Amino acid sequence: MTNSVRRSLVPFLLRGFLRLLVLTTPLLILFAALDADRRRVTWVEPRDGDARAELPSWLGTPRTGTSVEVEGRIRYVVDHASTGLWLLSLLPALVLALAVSSVALLLLRLMHETYAGRPFSDHGVRRLRLVAAVVGAAAVVLPLLDSVSSHAIVARVLPDRAPGIVDGWDILGATIPWLVVALLVLAVAEAFDIGVGLADDVAGLV
């Protein structure tokens, strides 16, 4: 039974997908490094702009070295941004890639143990708890970083129109759903912990 499961197509596809996700962080860092010479920073206004107008009057005049484009939505652009602003704009994507890679690596190790005939183990419980912790932390850190990054970019282009540092933090849409996912994973981890105890009891009886 174990061999048939191990050789089926589903584990092969899942492992391949998880291995691809593990590579997300180094690939993202590589692409960011390749684009480092321009250090172009952009941010799109969540509100719809008027695509027929060149520039809405309420935006005011952008600073020198920056621009505001209207393509259905308002796009703030900073060419050759400072290193700090450029890194800050990349930070949400890098943290997301690191979180995805970490979760994929943990699940990959969990799958390896499961298809090796050890679905319930102390290592598996710890890995699931770590997955819940990473998802929960990312649910808070990522929207916060994105809001701070948006504030910094708009403040660089149009200081008078910059939103508050946490004004862009969508707690209901970007944080709470992922906190629920983290709690569900934690519940699965606790179920695995009970499974470890039952497996030890059965082994003792045998």
Side-chain angles (χ1 to χ4, degrees):
M1 178 68 177
T2 303
N3 290 333
S4 63
V5 172
R6 194 181 304 169
R7 295 173 183 173
S8 68
L9 183 61
V10 173
F12 174 78
L13 293 176
L14 282 177
R15 287 178 178 177
F17 179 67
L18 290 175
R19 290 189 181 104
L20 180 63
L21 291 180
V22 170
L23 295 174
T24 299
T25 298
L27 287 176
L28 186 58
I29 293 175
L30 174 62
F31 293 147
L34 292 175
D35 196 43
D37 57 335
R38 293 189 59 192
R39 294 204 304 269
R40 193 173 204 230
V41 173
T42 64
W43 181 74
V44 179
E45 171 74 41
R47 294 178 297 175
D48 289 333
D50 185 1
R52 296 169 298 177
E54 290 186 2
L55 187 66
S57 59
W58 56 264
L59 281 176
T61 304
R63 283 185 174 181
T64 304
T66 67
S67 62
V68 181
E69 303 172 358
V70 180
E71 299 173 354
R73 287 182 183 274
I74 300 166
R75 182 187 302 274
Y76 298 87
V77 182
V78 181
D79 284 316
H80 302 288
S82 65
T83 302
L85 181 60
W86 179 67
L87 291 176
L88 181 61
S89 68
L90 290 178
L91 197 55
L94 291 176
V95 172
L96 176 60
L98 180 61
V100 170
S101 296
S102 301
V103 169
L105 183 60
L106 291 168
L107 294 179
L108 193 60
R109 296 300 302 166
L110 184 63
M111 284 186 60
H112 176 75
E113 292 180 353
T114 299
Y115 291 119
R118 301 187 303 274
F120 299 108
S121 66
D122 292 331
H123 294 295
V125 173
R126 282 196 294 270
R127 289 190 178 102
L128 283 173
R129 286 172 177 166
L130 281 174
V131 168
V134 170
V135 173
V140 175
V141 172
L142 281 173
L144 179 59
L145 286 177
D146 191 60
S147 179
V148 172
S149 175
S150 300
H151 166 80
I153 294 171
V154 180
R156 173 67 179 84
V157 181
L158 294 165
D160 296 338
R161 296 294 178 179
I165 293 179
V166 296
D167 286 353
W169 186 355
D170 184 7
I171 296 178
L172 291 178
T175 297
I176 291 181
W178 288 107
L179 288 178
V180 173
V181 172
L183 289 175
L184 291 175
V185 174
L186 189 59
V188 174
E190 296 309 307
F192 265 62
D193 193 22
I194 295 174
V196 171
L198 293 175
D200 290 340
D201 292 341
V202 171
L205 291 175
V206 174

